[in-house]
Amino acid sequence: MGDCQVLWSKVLDVIKTSTSPAVFQAFFAVVHPLSFDGEHFILQVDSPLVVDWLRQKYAAAIEAALQQLCGRPVRLILQSNSSASAAPVTPTPSAAETPPPPTPVAVTDLTPPRRPRTLPSNLNPYFTFENFIVGSSNRMAHAAAFATAQNPGKVYNPLFIYGGVGLGKTHLMQAIGHAILSRHERCAVHYVSCERFINQFIEAIQTSTLSKFRDFFRSSIDVLLIDDIQFLSKKESLQEEFYHTFNDLHNQGKQIVMTSDKSPQELEHIENRLVNRFEWGMVVDIQSPDFETRVAIIRKKLETFGKSLDDEICYYLANKVRTDVRKIEGALIRLLGFASVQNKPVTLEMAKECLKDYVTAQTPITLEAIQKAVAEFFDVRVADLRSNRRPKMIAHPRQLAMYLCRDLTTCSLTEIAQAFGGKDHTTVLYACRKIDALKNSDETVEQQIAALRRRILEANPGAL
Ligand code: ADP
Ligand code: MG
């Protein structure tokens, strides 16, 4: 085995520990080490889709593992069969280097630009407002982020976004950065994870460069996007440092955006004076996406991959993985990778096979449970809902029930049609489209759906 193969197998050992075995198998199987010259590590990837996926999800982890194993920074270069030239995954100079601090510009007088932008924004190009799907779970957070991007330093300062993992906090926060940069190219927008902020602080102490660190964070930034602020918990000196950074930036009218996994009030082991400042501006949360948002996210992702899938497969996926957008994306990438490795089009059967080890719900909701809840709600007979020959007044409850079956179960449209005495899936598709349209135009229908969803989920506590 060559040097680069030995090194690659050690990198894989590291990556394996944080990846599900199925994903690992589906993707890393098409990745081969090509060469290593001490500085550049070139990987050959046999699928363009996997190149994107590696770049987005694993490039940083691979570079970190290489650095750890080699004791110095190593640049990762991904080479796909279809790409004429290989490109490094990180720009030069590396965003990790602390740049010389530029002269500060107040957010309030960003135009016209007055200086060249030398500080790295560290933004992921994909995390824009255009790529962010808005639904009931994130509408408030999106509106607040959008308003902040329109008027940095003025409307909501700080903006504090909180919610569970994989729900789009980092995406939304970075979208603010992109939107500001698109209008004020030279604005000093800087994204930093709280962990990185902590590491830079420790490094600054160790190398006696604290004043440089402070200059950078307190004087050269117009918009600070600091991610996962909960990591300040139990770190008193870091909290002190951040307190002063916050005050300096805020006093100069600079915009601060923070994310966290908890609301300020729920954060533990963080000084009151900081928590108090977190609440100065606007605090918004992001919830798990509902069915429509999940489907829309899947479609958006497909669009960016230049792929398409049948509605039924999108619905299946949206029902299979419910709580976390990152997991939904993972499932989609896995499915597309699965199909691409097998060189076959994606079918519903393939989706079921490929995603069979995704745990959806401990006690899945049954079609019968939904029919029963809808029948009780509208005071009609379950038998009427199920029967193909039915009184006219049953039409709406029946369509609503079909809609909820699509929303809350992993049954195929054909299976749903059968449970309602129908022959094929077109009736269900028609019902779903009709309710979708009604939901947007008729508030009563929106409320009926919300109330029924709540009842059904409450009656099946293990379902989510
Ligand atoms: P968090 O920071 O809350 O853990 P991220 O912002 O990293 O989550 O989001 C995880 C993944 O899900 C990202 O790839 C992101 O693009 C995607 N995502 C999350 N919410 C949305 C959304 N509303 N629309 C489109 N993509 C989303
Ligand atoms: Mg995040």
Side-chain angles (χ1 to χ4, degrees), residues 127 131-133 138 166-171 297 325-326 329:
F127 289 168
N131 289 332
F132 190 84
I133 302 293
N138 58 29
L167 296 184
K169 302 183 296 296
T170 302
H171 187 141
I297 290 172
V325 182
R326 195 172 292 138
E329 282 184 1

Side-chain angles (χ1 to χ4, degrees), residues 136-151:
S136 53
S137 55
N138 58 29
R139 201 176 304 284
M140 273 292 288
H142 175 266
F146 199 77
T148 304
Q150 298 308 308
N151 274 303

Side-chain angles (χ1 to χ4, degrees), residues 29-221:
V30 294
V31 181
H32 316 285
L34 266 193
S35 72
F36 176 51
D37 63 3
E39 273 179 48
H40 304 92
F41 195 92
I42 304 183
L43 280 180
Q44 165 78 38
V45 188
D46 292 345
S47 149
L49 188 84
V50 176
V51 172
D52 283 346
W53 178 80
L54 277 180
R55 189 170 285 135
Q56 243 193 47
K57 305 273 174 190
Y58 282 95
I62 295 173
E63 281 192 339
L66 284 167
Q67 173 160 8
Q68 202 187 351
L69 292 163
C70 300
R72 62 178 179 279
V74 175
R75 312 271 319 276
L76 177 66
I77 296 178
L78 300 176
Q79 192 170 294
S80 122
N81 282 347
S82 62
S83 66
S85 62
V89 294
T90 46
T92 314
S94 151
E97 288 164 28
T98 310
T103 332
V105 169
V107 173
T108 42
D109 52 69
L110 287 167
T111 40
R114 294 194 312 212
R115 58 170 160 71
R117 216 175 73 81
T118 51
L119 129 164
S121 62
N122 292 345
L123 300 179
N124 177 331
Y126 182 76
F127 289 168
T128 59
F129 279 122
E130 289 72 35
N131 289 332
F132 190 84
I133 302 293
V134 185
S136 53
S137 55
N138 58 29
R139 201 176 304 284
M140 273 292 288
H142 175 266
F146 199 77
T148 304
Q150 298 308 308
N151 274 303
K154 288 186 184 152
V155 278
Y156 304 131
N157 201 14
L159 173 64
F160 190 101
I161 305 169
Y162 73 93
V165 283
L167 296 184
K169 302 183 296 296
T170 302
H171 187 141
L172 204 49
M173 151 185 267
Q174 293 204 9
I176 299 174
H178 282 298
I180 295 175
L181 280 176
S182 71
R183 278 180 299 119
H184 309 290
E185 199 192 331
R186 292 191 173 81
C187 177
V189 171
H190 187 68
Y191 165 86
V192 67
S193 66
C194 186
E195 270 179 302
R196 181 148 177 72
F197 179 82
I198 294 171
N199 290 339
Q200 286 185 342
F201 176 70
I202 294 169
E203 210 177 295
I205 293 177
Q206 285 167 348
T207 54
S208 312
T209 51
L210 205 51
S211 65
K212 198 172 154 204
F213 171 90
R214 287 185 175 148
D215 250 13
F216 179 74
F217 279 104
R218 299 184 192 180
S219 317
S220 26
I221 289 175

